[in-house]
């Protein structure tokens, strides 16, 4: 056969030397990544809540970072403990500290639990990184007092720390299991080690690149989780496909270099399109322009791109140098019953081959009618599994610590404060009202306060008109230097005129559905009740969470269209068949829907907390790309067999039989990787891991084993299009397109 003159394969040692140097440099950078990542990122920066919050900080002088310290003891908290905590916060740069002395509602009725809030200026990451020192300080308080540092900076810091621990724990679980799985698949130590080398290198390089990006812009802590999750899955799977084909070609008597060329032309080409599909699908997550999604998209895209580069440069170089030593270290496992190679049914080409034929073992393929019935049953079953997703409830928990483990100090502090004091005052809705003149603004605030106090879901309203001062005297008093300090925190001469704010708490807490509905009502209805020149805006944690969810929902149609269109165009290039491309999209949609339905059912049975709004979108984008692997590999092998002259029904049977062990092994590897993240402490990581594991299992077991072959047999050889039928009579080479 003619050998492709690939320049990189002529110098394998040079490629491997460059690889070692690159991985060493990337690993050094990757070690610095954790300190550069940011917590949070689950807010919409251009939405009303954050824009309003920036105005509040500017006009009312609020510090951008609010740290909360909760002190809890068996006896009443002493003034000395409060003073010591205040001094600790001031020493670390707090520009304002509020204690129960200024806010009596910051202490429980029995005095055994108190809350102290502190405002910190500057960068959020700097405030986050104060958390361990502050936690150590309040943990050392005398008198049997337990201290917990919480609030948004602390919650973000702990989320970052636990994300790092989750990624490391998952990798420590995954690698030993992968070794066992790969040894069983390859029955050779050398063949099993190669994918692990590619996987480890992919992670190191992607994490190193992440550090360089984090130096220039904010990157969420979820970057490292998604790099580990997606990187391990795709790099091991892609390597498995190529190594498997390489060994198969060696067993057919090809030379080492010819075997590498065929493996890269066939499996390597399939891997290239599979990886491109993953990258294209993840790129759609850039649409919302939200830091968490952008970080997830970048992590998945970068690690997939790195895996593709390594499998097309380093992997063939390794295979050339290893040669037949790829079988070194044989594992003594029971031998499989030998099977005839795919494509050996060329003698069947005398059959007309529309949808039936004889497989390699002489069993007739199912008829078109039978195949159509099986396909219909499979599709209906997947739709039934998808049905729980119709009642899906999504919400981002920005005003709670439920995403953190129960023993985390930031979560404990918030839970203690909620149980003993209530946290509504820590996360109030902030309704900001502006008007043309002070008298009109006082009237607007009075009316808004009254309307909100009458609302069934409102617990309290604090404003300048709820202070007990005669509203007629307020304009002059607020304009004078004699206004009480507590009123100054509710009234300000802003950059765009006079503004007032109302602090609103709810009966059911800041993360409740009722609180989210209240934000909508205030924004939609309150402006119509006030003066013609009045403006109304809502900020606060609840409003930020609502804006994030709305931004996400509004982005979903764009994300879906981009993923479908871009993937369809990519598949047209890969398959040269509109029918196959549409089938691939339909299968992917079925898998995503069924996995989301199953995840919704599991969540409803095991927890009262709704799914994080991030999970379905991420599941859609990631799984839509990943599930292309199996489709591309299987179709490529079926087309290869069919174009060599096999009857269509036999080509389907033989192609499936030739790829089934590889697909099952790849699916098992992905499931192991994703389930390893179920050990994580962050709830969203567990949700994503479980959802992806369910999706891969459904894809491999139901779609690729039952639905896909049944649909192909029902449609017949026309599924490949005219191009494939023309190629049946042409000589085949190792090169060419995916299904050449």
């Amino acid at each position: 056969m003619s050998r492709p003159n690939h320049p990189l394969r002529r110098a394998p040692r040079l490629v491997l030397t460059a690889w070692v140097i690159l991985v060493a440099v990337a690993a050094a950078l990757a070690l610095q990544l954790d300190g550069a990542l940011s917590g949070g990122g689950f807010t919409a920066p251009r939405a009303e809540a954050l824009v309003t919050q920036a105005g509040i900080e500017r006009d009312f002088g609020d510090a951008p970072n609010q740290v909360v310290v909760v002190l809890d003891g068996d006896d009443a908290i002493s003034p000395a403990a409060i003073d010591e905590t205040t001094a600790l916060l001031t020493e670390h740069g707090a520009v304002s500290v509020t204690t129960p002395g200024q806010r009596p509602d910051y202490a429980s009725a029995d005095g055994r639990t108190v809350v102290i809030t502190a405002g910190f200026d500057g960068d959020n990451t700097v405030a986050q990184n104060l958390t361990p020192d502050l936690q150590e300080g309040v943990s050392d308080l005398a008198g049997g007092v337990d201290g917990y540092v919480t609030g948004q900076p602390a919650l973000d810091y702990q989320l970052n720390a636990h994300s790092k621990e989750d990624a490391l724990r998952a990798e420590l679980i995954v690698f030993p299991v992968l070794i066992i799985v790969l040894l069983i698949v390859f029955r050779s130590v050398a063949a099993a080690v190669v994918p692990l080398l590619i996987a480890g290198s992919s992670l190191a390089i992607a994490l190193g690149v992440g550090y360089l990006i984090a130096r220039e812009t904010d990157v969420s802590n979820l970057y490292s989780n998604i790099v580990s999750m997606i990187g391990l899955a795709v790099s091991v799977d892609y390597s498995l496909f190529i190594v498997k084909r390489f060994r198969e070609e060696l067993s057919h008597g090809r030379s080492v270099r010819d075997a590498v060329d065929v493996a890269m032309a066939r499996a390597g080409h399939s891997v290239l399109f599979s990886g491109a599909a993953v990258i294209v699908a993840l790129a759609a997550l850039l649409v919302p322009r939200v830091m968490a999604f952008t970080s997830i998209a970048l992590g998945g895209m970068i690690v997939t791109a790195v895996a593709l580069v390594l499998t097309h440069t380093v992997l063939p170089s390794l295979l050339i140098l290893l040669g037949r030593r790829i079988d070194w270290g044989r594992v003594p496992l029971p031998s499989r019953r030998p099977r005839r190679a795919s494509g050996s049914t060329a003698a069947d080409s005398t059959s007309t081959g529309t949808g039936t034929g004889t497989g390699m073992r002489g069993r007739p393929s199912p008829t078109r009618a039978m195949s159509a019935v099986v396909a219909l049953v499979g599709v209906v079953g997947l739709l039934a599994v998808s049905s729980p997703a119709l009642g899906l409830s999504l919400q981002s928990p920005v005003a709670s610590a439920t995403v953190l483990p129960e023993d985390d100090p930031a979560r404990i502090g918030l839970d203690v404060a909620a149980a003993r004091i209530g946290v509504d005052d820590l996360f109030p809705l902030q309704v900001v009202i502006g008007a043309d003149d002070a008298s009109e603004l006082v009237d607007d605030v009075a009316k808004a306060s009254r309307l909100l106090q009458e609302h069934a879901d409102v617990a309290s309203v604090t404003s300048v008109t709820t202070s007990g001062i005669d509203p007629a005297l307020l304009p002059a008093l607020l304009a004078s230097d004699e206004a009480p300090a507590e009123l100054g925190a509710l009234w300000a001469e802003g950059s765009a005129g006079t503004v007032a704010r109302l602090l609103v708490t709810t009966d059911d807490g800041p993360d409740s559905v009722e609180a989210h509905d209240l934000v909508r009502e205030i924004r939609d209805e309150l402006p119509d009740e006030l003066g013609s020149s009045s403006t109304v805006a809502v900020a606060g944690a609840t409003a930020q969470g609502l804006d994030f969810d709305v931004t996400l929902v509004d982005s979903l149609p764009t994300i879906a269209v981009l993923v479908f269109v871009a993937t369809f165009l990519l598949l047209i290039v890969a398959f040269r068949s509109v029918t196959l491309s549409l089938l691939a999209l339909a299968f992917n949609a079925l898998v995503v829907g069924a996995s989301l339905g199953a995840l919704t059912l599991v969540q409803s049975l095991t927890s009262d907390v709704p799914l994080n709004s991030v999970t379905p979108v991420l599941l859609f984008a990631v799984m839509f790309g990943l599930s292309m692997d199996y489709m591309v590999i299987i179709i490529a092998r079926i087309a290869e067999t069919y174009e060599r002259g096999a009857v269509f029904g036999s080509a389907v049977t033989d192609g499936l039989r030739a790829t089934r062990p590889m697909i099952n092994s790849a699916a098992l590897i992905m499931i192991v990787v994703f389930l390893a993240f179920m050990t994580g402490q962050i709830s969203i990581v567990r949700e994503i891991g479980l959802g992806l594991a369910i999706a891969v299992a459904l894809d491999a077991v139901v779609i690729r084993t039952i639905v896909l072959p049944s649909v192909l047999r029902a449609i017949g050889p026309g599924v490949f299009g005219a191009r494939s039928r023309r190629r049946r009579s042409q000589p085949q080479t190792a090169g060419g397109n995916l299904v050449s």
Side-chain angles (χ1 to χ4, degrees), residues 477-539:
L477 178 62
L478 292 168
S480 70
D481 295 332
E482 300 177 359
E486 59 268 22
L487 294 187
L490 301 169
W491 184 279
E493 292 297 329
S495 57
T498 307
V499 292
R501 63 173 165 176
L502 294 73
L503 304 180
V504 182
T505 63
T506 60
D507 290 319
D508 297 299
D511 253 344
S512 64
V513 174
E514 290 77 13
H516 282 68
D517 290 341
L518 178 61
V519 173
R520 293 188 182 92
E521 291 180 33
I522 293 173
R523 288 173 172 173
D524 294 341
E525 301 174 10
L526 188 58
D528 295 334
E529 302 290 339
L530 306 183
S532 59
S533 68
S534 301
T535 60
V536 177
V538 185

Side-chain angles (χ1 to χ4, degrees), residues 340 343-354 356-359 640-651 654 725 727-729:
R340 292 169 59 187
S344 60
T345 57
D348 293 333
S349 59
T350 54
S351 304
T352 56
T354 58
T356 61
T358 303
E640 181 182 342
T641 306
Y642 177 66
E643 290 172 359
R644 285 176 177 169
V647 67
F648 180 75
S650 296
D654 298 351
R725 290 195 296 272
R727 292 186 62 87
R728 279 171 63 86
S729 60

Side-chain angles (χ1 to χ4, degrees), residues 117-131:
T117 60
F120 288 83
D121 285 332
D123 184 71
N124 179 259
T125 302
V126 174
Q128 291 176 30
N129 291 333
L130 294 173
T131 300

Side-chain angles (χ1 to χ4, degrees), residues 714-726:
I715 296 175
V719 74
F720 287 130
R723 175 179 175 272
S724 183
R725 290 195 296 272
R726 287 197 304 269

